[in-house]
């Protein structure tokens, strides 16, 4: 397994080549969608490249299903299940108190808040966890 610095370097390379951003924009805390301006198609390409370079893709289909599973009629249990999945399945580390749109429930705020959790560091956490499994 590669160390975190190697993982971050490879992810930066993938993102620079895929999105065309400058390498200095690719800090560990840079959000993929807000800071780097990724769109869905970019994220799919990154997932394919992760599979080539790390041996497994980022589960974009599962993420899409998760993001659409919480909507206007969702319960607190639905939201907590989705947040549990982010932690357990996607290996994203976050403070639940900082996630907007949970209380009071607002699907749009929740979706935006969840997308902000996707940073280069979060991808590195995912790669490390999957590599160790």
């Amino acid at each position: 397994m590669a160390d975190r610095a190697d993982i971050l370097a490879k992810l930066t390379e993938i993102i620079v080549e895929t999105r065309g951003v400058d390498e200095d924009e690719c800090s560990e805390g840079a959000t993929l969608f807000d800071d780097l301006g990724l769109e869905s198609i970019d994220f799919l390409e990154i997932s394919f490249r992760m599979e080539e370079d790390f041996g497994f893709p980022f589960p974009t289909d599962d993420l899409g299903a998760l993001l659409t599973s919480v909507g206007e009629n969702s319960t607190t249990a639905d939201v907590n299940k989705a947040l549990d999945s982010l932690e357990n399945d996607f290996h994203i580390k976050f403070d639940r108190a900082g996630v907007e749109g949970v209380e009071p429930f607002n699907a749009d705020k929740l979706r935006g808040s969840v997308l902000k959790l996707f940073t280069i560091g979060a991808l590195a956490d995912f790669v490390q966890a999957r590599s160790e499994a």
Side-chain angles (χ1 to χ4, degrees), residues 62-75 78-79 81-82:
D62 294 343
L63 177 60
L66 175 70
L67 290 175
T68 58
S69 72
V70 178
E72 267 187 45
N73 298 319
S74 294
T75 65
D78 296 332
V79 172
K81 181 178 177 185

Side-chain angles (χ1 to χ4, degrees), residues 10-21 32-33 36-54 56-58 60 120 123 127:
K10 180 50 78 175
L11 287 170
T12 296
E13 177 185 317
I14 290 170
I15 292 167
V16 166
E17 290 175 3
T18 301
R19 184 65 183 131
V21 298
L32 301 176
F33 300 99
L36 301 177
L38 265 68
E39 296 181 12
S40 302
I41 194 75
D42 300 318
F43 200 57
L44 285 172
E45 179 63 25
I46 288 169
S47 177
F48 295 140
R49 289 284 309 275
M50 287 175 67
E51 184 169 16
E52 290 173 6
D53 293 330
F54 298 114
F56 48 84
F58 189 89
T60 54
I120 293 175
L123 286 182
V127 170

